[in-house]
Amino acid sequence: MKATLMYGAGDVRVDTVPDPIIHFPTDALVRTIRACVCGSDLHPYHDMPAREHGRSMGHELIAVVEEVGPEVRHIKKGDFVIAPFAFQDNTCEFCREGLQTNCPHGGFYGTPEAAGLQAELARIPLADGSLVVIPDINPDTADDSLLASFLSLSDVYLTGHHAAFKGSVSPGKTVTVIGDGAVGLSAVLASRQMGAERIILMGRHRDRTDLGVEWGATDVVSTRGDEGIAEVMALTNGEGSHVVLEAVGHMPAYEQAYGIVRPGGVISRVGVPQYESAPIGFGSLFGKNASLTGGPAPVRAYLESALTQVLNGEINPGKVFDLSLPLIDAPAAYTAMDSRTALKVMLTP
Amino acid sequence: MKATLMYGAGDVRVDTVPDPIIHFPTDALVRTIRACVCGSDLHPYHDMPAREHGRSMGHELIAVVEEVGPEVRHIKKGDFVIAPFAFQDNTCEFCREGLQTNCPHGGFYGTPEAAGLQAELARIPLADGSLVVIPDINPDTADDSLLASFLSLSDVYLTGHHAAFKGSVSPGKTVTVIGDGAVGLSAVLASRQMGAERIILMGRHRDRTDLGVEWGATDVVSTRGDEGIAEVMALTNGEGSHVVLEAVGHMPAYEQAYGIVRPGGVISRVGVPQYESAPIGFGSLFGKNASLTGGPAPVRAYLESALTQVLNGEINPGKVFDLSLPLIDAPAAYTAMDSRTALKVMLTP
């Protein structure tokens, strides 16, 4: 089958690799309907050292089940499914608490445990816990915009939702979203769903912030750093923002976050931090009694209810996909996202 | 009057200084009944550069009101009062939200805005917002242990309470308290009040941890660093602690905190951080979806209800005071706390 591999920074190739097989009796094999490239895939695209054997890429997928292992009970051949970006048993204590990305039996794609999902076929571990069936939709005849919204539930929209959820977004609170990438825009949409009335979107790309405004952003701040902080402070009567959703992962975004968070407020991060240490002392978080939260989204916890919203036409999170390419053109998808000519690229085998 | 000044690391003196006067019409002047030394006073005691003019010390006080400014409405001459360690108007938007340590009109003692409280007399800014009356108690005849409990509401007990409150301590959660100083022990007592059944206390001083056990600690871990982390993980089935209350402020305590926090758990800090940057990336907080919270306790928000508990005999937080000295011996009080021969020292003018 065809699969996307990264051989080093800027070096993505679609190679022919062996088809996956059932390894464990709880696995499923699925045939990809749509996959896509994530903002987090761009981090190794910028700095991964060159290697002889490519790294298997991708962790977002909608697919049709081809085969299930003998211990798979609920997922069946022919099911049209969404795969959350992490796999999990969805039955353990952590999963029952909505901490599926910390499931002790779970893991991530593109690792030795499970190949990446930018491929024609995929092996899904713990299939009963890791796949969610899309009912009553034929993937071969469904509208592409609907497929895009299903695919967004694999990661991007529900990562934005996780930011808002962990930030305790609620009516009456001012929410500032840092980053106009696909996750930031999703965080705007999710914040609106959770009742936020004032949503400040910090982003510099007009075509992107326009979608943010469509989804509920009430203010757009296109400046950054100290200037951006001053602008948000001015918009909030000098108080700062009750909730800051940081959807980038780079240090300047975090610095903006603690610069604008209101005393007693919360910074919720979902951009994978590209740093380990950062300011959290008296001058940044402590003096303000500000909280810091966030992490890898337990997409599985939120998936059914968001799927219902998509099926009912209440939300259209698939609008973050502004380019669709054949899987074979995955390298061009990375280039387009890296150069910001595309917001998020869908791949079709 | 006599007041305590710090001239540099290890150099504390009790000097004669001018009596305070009413500066602003909202001020009150009070005569000290008891003051005390805080663990946070030991930070400059360790590292403050020598200076010609001493730094005015102290921020904890119970006192009797001697005089009030013309705009003070509720506090009266003769009232027996507790002064929270920060002053505030207690009427603004932030104060009404329970964020009194972020009151835009408030501030801290031992600063250019207000002298320290380890003194015979003190000027209390914004007296109506900053003083809480202790009803029906004569300070001259009250039992010393009762006075100690009143004094503990000025800072130490309610700082421990703030840690537990921000950490969302509740029944069913495992709470680990890092630090067997007066704040750590107070955090144990507060956690018990909030319903925690499993309370692990990390501390190495048996006489202190004994008080922690009396107050509700179910386990004591006397090791530190990787060894201490391993011990807490073993006590929690390898999962970690839902809530970690960090009552020290030094980096090793924070490192312990993220080492033992359970996925989805929360670290609540009330020890003033003696660092600005620290690990918060994937390997420490983010990967676990752990939260970080805490800051200077808005003691004023919690004071009335804790005072009721003290008056009813439900809690005895004054037990953290294990040494009482005359104010004139404040230097010996610092020495005793620094050498850990005393847990917390009360000063009597």
Side-chain angles (χ1 to χ4, degrees), chain A residues 93 97 99 101-102 162 166 239 262-263 269 273 276-284 286-287 289 291-296, chain B residues 93 97 99 101-102 162 166 239 262-263 269 273 275-284 286-287 289 291-296:
Chain A
E93 183 187 353
E97 292 177 24
L99 295 164
T101 36
N102 296 106
H162 182 58
K166 292 287 281 185
E239 292 184 2
R262 186 178 185 272
R269 293 180 298 167
E276 188 58 41
S277 282
I280 60 168
F282 203 96
S284 46
F286 190 87
N289 260 298
S291 301
L292 176 65
T293 190
Chain B
E93 183 188 353
E97 291 177 24
L99 295 164
T101 36
N102 296 106
H162 183 58
K166 292 287 281 185
E239 292 185 1
R262 186 179 184 273
R269 294 179 299 166
Y275 51 83
E276 189 58 41
S277 282
I280 60 169
F282 202 96
S284 45
F286 189 88
N289 260 298
S291 301
L292 176 66
T293 189

Side-chain angles (χ1 to χ4, degrees), chain A residues 135-218:
Chain A
D136 306 324
I137 298 285
N138 181 341
D140 299 323
T141 58
D143 187 83
D144 221 45
S145 69
L146 186 60
L147 294 182
S149 282
F150 293 145
L151 182 59
S152 76
L153 304 185
S154 185
D155 182 346
V156 60
Y157 176 61
L158 293 178
T159 290
H161 172 86
H162 182 58
F165 177 80
K166 292 287 281 185
S168 302
V169 169
S170 63
K173 287 187 186 163
T174 295
V175 178
T176 301
V177 175
I178 299 179
D180 59 5
V183 172
L185 298 177
S186 296
V188 170
L189 177 59
S191 295
R192 196 85 183 89
Q193 293 298 309
M194 292 173 72
E197 288 142 34
R198 182 85 185 271
I199 303 173
I200 301 169
L201 173 58
M202 300 189 81
R204 297 179 302 151
H205 305 87
R206 179 63 190 270
D207 51 337
R208 298 177 177 198
T209 59
D210 281 351
L211 178 56
V213 169
E214 181 185 327
W215 275 353
T218 51

Side-chain angles (χ1 to χ4, degrees), chain B residues 153 158 161 300-310 314-315:
Chain B
L153 305 186
L158 293 178
H161 173 85
R300 185 66 185 79
Y302 312 129
L303 216 159
E304 273 105 340
S305 95
L307 177 57
T308 300
Q309 285 193 294
V310 167
E314 291 168 45
I315 55 172

